[in-house]
Amino acid sequence: MSEVEEGDLVARVEGGAGVIRLNRPKAINAVTLEMFRDIEKALDRFESDPTVAVILLEGAGERGLCAGGDIRTLWESSKAGGDLGKILWREEYILNARIKKFPKPYVAFMDGIVMGGGVGLSAHASHRVVTDRTKLAMPEVGLGFFPDVGGTYLLSRSPGEIGTFFGLTGQTMNGPDAIHARFADWVVPAAKLPELRGALTKVRAGATATDISRLINGFATGETAGPVAAKEPVIDALFGFDRMEDIFAALKRDGSDFALATLKTLNEKSPRGMVVTLKLLRLARTASSLEECLVREYRAANEVFRSDDFREGVRAAVIDKDRNPTWSPPRIEDVTPEMLAPYFAEIGADELKFNQ
């Protein structure tokens, strides 16, 4: 067994598996810029190592794979007028695209909490395993942001308006709902993960994606739909609009407990964040690739980084934890086309580019 310990990331070869372990359990493995760079190095090594048949992504500790990006550090840079957002998101998004195209099977153990940046490292994998403990979410709109890391690509490919619902509300998916929303492929009981992990390390060079699928299938429960899937006809009717005002109007008209609870949730989110998110989701529906969505997300993310809403959202949720953000503007009706335009404008030399 060869091992390289790189601080908050462990990358090592175990049998036929190249294991990448996010190693910040006290922070639920929130990912830093250095960790993204270390993952890139690990993938370089594993891709060229002929003994590595499969990649395995896992998180240290009991709480989850990854709670997302290191938001506090981004907040500090944004407040200081720094450029961490531009640097981190560029490298993160390029890594997300690489994971989707990785030439060897890439298995992600999406156990426990999987949010934001953690979704970017796992939901683009070729083999995505959730468990009975999975709590997956893209809660960025509550931070004055939008579901990035290719989230708009993933959500726009969920059935019906399920992705619109999850993207705007930040609602948590359990394992079966993650499969229904096309963020995952198998539910494996958390108690069986060590056994599955052991089996993956015994896989030998030359194993195909089909071989890995067959192996995982032997541990899976076969569940494919959770509680939110059952509400899909209602969600389709309420979220099948291209304007946030129309979604709010539909929820008010419906008046059911579900609609009113959803309305309450949306009223807590950033109006600007919701409008940007809905437009990105609609544009993503006709995108031909993940990269096309990531380019668009990168433009919008740079604008978010400069915005008061991002700093205020993170302050209320992460820094002061008062859960009482003051959004700018405070109402959906006040989000103008002029405010939106910079989020979707080309950014010249700073555009996101991928190595072909």
Side-chain angles (χ1 to χ4, degrees), residues 20 31-33 35-41 43 88-102 106 117 120-121 124 149 290 294 352 354:
I20 297 173
V31 204
T32 63
L33 177 58
M35 289 167 75
F36 288 128
R37 289 173 174 171
D38 288 341
I39 292 168
E40 278 280 6
K41 287 180 206 158
L43 290 178
L88 182 143
W89 286 320
R90 177 182 297 278
E91 296 189 30
E92 181 181 15
Y93 294 3
I94 288 169
L95 176 59
N96 299 148
R98 180 180 187 182
I99 288 166
K100 182 161 177 62
K101 288 189 166 175
F102 200 71
Y106 181 122
L121 294 174
H124 300 301
V149 299
L290 170 62
L294 287 166
L352 187 64
F354 301 91

Side-chain angles (χ1 to χ4, degrees), residues 212-223:
I212 302 299
S213 295
R214 199 175 291 127
L215 192 159
I216 297 170
N217 222 30
F219 293 84
T221 65
E223 295 166 273

Side-chain angles (χ1 to χ4, degrees), residues 44-98:
D44 286 344
R45 192 157 63 92
F46 296 154
E47 185 171 348
S48 61
D49 184 341
T51 69
V52 171
V54 61
I55 311 302
L56 172 60
L57 175 75
E58 62 185 11
E62 293 296 309
R63 294 162 73 194
L65 172 65
C66 177
D70 189 357
I71 290 288
R72 184 181 287 267
T73 309
L74 282 165
W75 178 80
E76 288 165 356
S77 178
S78 177
K79 275 195 73 171
D83 59 358
L84 178 62
K86 178 190 284 193
I87 297 164
L88 182 143
W89 286 320
R90 177 182 297 278
E91 296 189 30
E92 181 181 15
Y93 294 3
I94 288 169
L95 176 59
N96 299 148
R98 180 180 187 182

Side-chain angles (χ1 to χ4, degrees), residues 72-349:
R72 184 181 287 267
T73 309
L74 282 165
W75 178 80
E76 288 165 356
S77 178
S78 177
K79 275 195 73 171
D83 59 358
L84 178 62
K86 178 190 284 193
I87 297 164
L88 182 143
W89 286 320
R90 177 182 297 278
E91 296 189 30
E92 181 181 15
Y93 294 3
I94 288 169
L95 176 59
N96 299 148
R98 180 180 187 182
I99 288 166
K100 182 161 177 62
K101 288 189 166 175
F102 200 71
K104 296 181 180 181
Y106 181 122
V107 180
F109 279 3
M110 302 165 76
D111 186 34
I113 290 170
V114 187
M115 294 187 181
V119 173
L121 294 174
S122 58
H124 300 301
S126 60
H127 296 72
R128 305 166 300 176
V129 176
V130 285
T131 74
D132 46 312
R133 302 190 302 199
T134 295
K135 292 178 179 164
L136 188 151
M138 299 294 285
E140 290 81 359
V141 180
L143 300 175
F145 199 25
F146 60 87
D148 67 328
V149 299
T152 62
Y153 176 85
L154 292 161
L155 290 162
S156 68
R157 278 147 184 77
S158 299
E161 298 296 339
I162 288 282
T164 314
F165 170 76
F166 279 125
L168 291 172
T169 63
Q171 174 93 24
T172 300
M173 308 178 200
N174 68 4
D177 267 332
I179 290 176
H180 184 70
R182 299 180 190 155
F183 275 67
D185 306 299
W186 295 272
V187 178
V188 172
K192 286 190 175 180
L193 283 185
E195 193 184 341
L196 172 56
R197 189 186 189 281
L200 286 166
T201 64
K202 293 183 176 68
V203 171
R204 290 290 167 255
T208 65
T210 305
D211 295 332
I212 302 299
S213 295
R214 199 175 291 127
L215 192 159
I216 297 170
N217 222 30
F219 293 84
T221 65
E223 295 166 273
T224 57
V228 176
K231 294 191 172 71
E232 191 177 318
V234 177
I235 288 170
D236 287 354
L238 296 172
F239 283 83
F241 302 95
D242 297 338
R243 293 169 67 248
M244 279 309 305
E245 292 92 332
D246 295 334
I247 291 174
F248 270 78
L251 289 164
K252 285 174 189 163
R253 262 197 318 275
D254 183 274
S256 64
D257 288 349
F258 172 73
L260 294 177
T262 302
L263 200 54
K264 183 176 184 293
T265 298
L266 292 179
N267 275 318
E268 295 164 359
K269 309 298 181 192
S270 156
R272 192 188 311 211
M274 285 188 283
V275 175
V276 169
T277 295
L278 185 59
K279 183 165 183 182
L280 284 169
L281 289 174
R282 294 302 183 247
L283 288 168
R285 280 187 170 167
T286 56
S288 59
S289 65
L290 170 62
E291 285 91 339
E292 186 182 328
C293 291
L294 287 166
V295 166
R296 211 176 276 126
E297 289 177 10
Y298 188 67
R299 293 170 183 167
N302 278 299
E303 191 61 28
V304 166
F305 194 66
R306 291 188 281 269
S307 76
D308 291 337
D309 260 18
F310 175 67
R311 290 188 286 271
E312 176 62 6
V314 177
R315 180 206 65 75
V318 179
I319 310 299
D320 299 337
K321 295 187 167 76
D322 61 21
R323 308 282 168 191
N324 190 28
T326 303
W327 300 120
S328 169
R331 302 181 316 150
I332 287 285
E333 299 82 1
D334 300 330
V335 180
T336 65
E338 291 73 28
M339 281 178 199
L340 280 186
Y343 291 84
F344 298 89
E346 294 182 10
I347 52 176

